[in-house]
Amino acid sequence: MNLAKLSSILQTEPKYRFAQVNKAIWQDFISSWQEVSNLPKALREKLEEECPLEIRAELDINKGKNKSVKALITLIDGEAIETVLIRQKDKRNTVCVSSQVGCPLACEFCATGKFGFRRNLSSEEIVEQVVFWARYLKAENKDEKVDNIVFMGMGEPFLNYAEFIKAAKFLNNPETLNIGSRRMSVSTAGITEGIKRLAGEKMQINLAISLHAANDNLRKDLMPIAKKYNLHEILKTVDNYITKTGRRVMFEYLMIKEVNDSDRDALELAKLMRQPLYIVNLIPYNETGRFKSSSRERIEKFKKILEEAGVAVTVRLSFGADITAACGQLRGRKK
Ligand code: SF4
């Protein structure tokens, strides 16, 4: 979609055309201008020619047990990004979007990190991922829609802050998808400048920190970015964010077998996480080669240690080990 082009075409049209077009794209989720019967034929053809709505995507054929689906979207320059639709039992739908093609942070446990960084996504390319799934849901079941958005796909959103926040504001706009900001979450590897900027936004987007280790040494081994942002600095920035916003912050902790999942790791993590508005989310690791996932028993024991220390903790079912969903895995397979 080229929204600038669309807007310039509509400049010469009567004002009410904007409302018709907005409804068609953002509420009816059309994928061809021919579907908008209330537009004149000549305008439909011009839009089809100069502003096509097609989103080139390939669905992952392995539908997971949890009915989550993954898609590989091909962008205008031939680059490919992943996006996932997570379908919950209560019929709520969460879309996980990518914010970059590849990722410069090269975390050891991440398939995306292995591809290196290609480029930032534009806000339109981020929005397009949500629109893709909105169309998918409409085609499948007219009652379902996109309820939540998580900026947790390929890339580090805070290294593409301007486009990330532009996309979030666009998706929040009542004239487009009207998705409440409290229904959006962004995850960062700890880019403190981004946390500070988010604290200053009027939007109430949920913040998650990818922690994955309870000390700087292990964190540096797993996440090279930890050499630049240490835990003390990240937690200080998060505390300031909480003071300013009064919002809870989630700390994501991948459970990696014999790497970060010992009792000692849990006790060390508990010391860091004793803050009323912190919540720890333990995530079974999607195996990508070098590392293995902690066993269910180990995760339960780890959780118990945190709970006994007074830390709020949840265990997230990994969004889709069964749909090749560790970020970057689908892209890697297709390439
Ligand atoms: S885990 Fe996230 S931040 Fe780390 S390399 Fe992968 S996409 Fe980038």
Side-chain angles (χ1 to χ4, degrees):
M1 273 185 292
N2 183 339
L3 297 181
K5 181 84 191 169
L6 176 63
S7 177
S8 88
I9 292 173
L10 294 179
Q11 286 307 324
T12 52
E13 294 289 325
K15 283 258 179 309
Y16 62 86
R17 291 270 180 254
F18 278 93
Q20 287 175 323
V21 163
N22 269 347
K23 180 175 179 298
I25 303 178
W26 309 117
Q27 282 160 29
D28 300 339
F29 300 113
I30 52 152
S31 45
S32 158
W33 290 109
Q34 300 313 331
E35 294 172 50
V36 200
S37 51
N38 56 1
L39 295 183
K41 189 162 180 275
L43 179 60
R44 273 185 270 157
E45 271 160 19
K46 188 175 169 69
L47 289 170
E48 202 67 69
E49 176 73 25
E50 297 181 30
C51 227
L53 293 168
E54 188 201 9
I55 299 172
R56 282 162 63 205
E58 209 177 318
L59 282 175
D60 190 359
I61 43 163
N62 302 319
K63 270 201 177 185
K65 280 187 216 120
N66 56 5
K67 287 182 49 192
S68 294
V69 199
K70 196 163 195 178
L72 189 72
I73 293 184
T74 303
L75 305 171
I76 193 122
D77 58 358
E79 293 288 2
I81 49 162
E82 295 178 9
T83 175
V84 183
L85 175 71
I86 302 138
R87 311 192 75 173
Q88 283 132 277
K89 285 201 184 97
D90 58 2
K91 297 211 168 168
R92 299 196 79 79
N93 294 295
T94 297
V95 169
C96 177
V97 294
S98 294
S99 51
Q100 298 182 310
V101 183
C103 182
L105 299 192
C107 299
E108 287 293 329
F109 48 75
C110 172
T112 296
K114 294 198 174 32
F115 296 116
F117 174 64
R118 307 281 298 185
R119 69 172 173 85
N120 279 331
L121 293 182
S122 68
S123 60
E124 280 180 21
E125 288 169 328
I126 298 173
V127 168
E128 206 167 80
Q129 297 169 59
V130 182
V131 170
F132 173 78
W133 291 118
R135 289 181 190 172
Y136 174 90
L137 287 168
K138 183 192 144 205
E140 211 182 49
N141 179 348
K142 289 198 167 37
D143 294 339
E144 287 189 46
K145 59 182 179 49
V146 175
D147 300 292
N148 305 298
I149 297 169
V150 293
F151 294 84
M152 296 183 181
M154 298 167 74
E156 162 57 58
F158 287 173
L159 291 182
N160 187 18
Y161 191 93
E163 298 301 309
F164 142 70
I165 201 73
K166 197 169 161 195
K169 287 178 180 169
F170 190 89
L171 293 162
N172 177 241
N173 185 338
E175 286 180 16
T176 66
L177 278 85
N178 196 19
I179 296 174
S181 58
R182 286 169 180 238
R183 296 193 174 278
M184 298 183 198
S185 302
V186 60
S187 174
T188 175
I191 309 295
T192 53
E193 295 86 347
I195 301 171
K196 287 175 198 161
R197 285 177 79 176
L198 189 69
E201 299 289 347
K202 297 240 161 30
M203 298 179 82
Q204 297 180 309
I205 301 176
N206 302 301
L207 173 66
I209 308 291
S210 297
L211 201 68
H212 311 317
N215 64 66
D216 283 316
N217 284 340
L218 177 58
R219 204 159 181 272
K220 279 181 209 163
D221 285 348
L222 295 173
M223 306 171 75
I225 191 68
K227 294 179 190 134
K228 186 166 178 200
Y229 301 95
N230 64 37
L231 284 171
H232 175 75
E233 191 186 348
I234 294 171
L235 295 182
K236 201 172 89 189
T237 311
V238 168
D239 289 344
N240 288 336
Y241 167 92
I242 290 175
T243 307
K244 203 161 173 186
T245 63
R247 296 187 65 73
R248 286 187 111 182
V249 174
M250 178 167 278
F251 290 86
E252 296 173 307
Y253 195 96
L254 281 173
M255 293 295 296
I256 310 175
K257 187 178 178 182
E258 289 164 15
V259 172
N260 64 357
D261 67 347
S262 68
D263 289 359
R264 208 170 131 192
D265 291 309
L267 290 166
E268 203 171 6
L269 182 62
K271 274 195 204 142
L272 291 181
M273 295 287 108
R274 270 195 215 106
Q275 219 276 23
L277 291 179
Y278 285 7
I279 176 164
V280 175
N281 188 22
L282 302 176
I283 309 169
Y285 178 60
N286 281 345
E287 298 182 2
T288 56
R290 184 175 152 198
F291 299 113
K292 300 268 171 253
S293 178
S294 308
S295 66
R296 190 172 281 256
E297 296 72 39
R298 182 89 292 267
I299 295 173
E300 280 307 317
K301 177 80 192 301
F302 199 93
K303 179 173 179 250
K304 197 159 172 260
I305 294 172
L306 289 171
E307 281 170 342
E308 283 173 359
V311 176
V313 54
T314 60
V315 178
R316 177 176 88 195
L317 268 184
S318 193
F319 277 155
D322 54 346
I323 56 157
T324 331
C327 63
Q329 284 183 13
L330 179 64
R331 185 179 188 271
R333 212 175 66 202
K334 300 287 178 194
K335 289 260 161 185

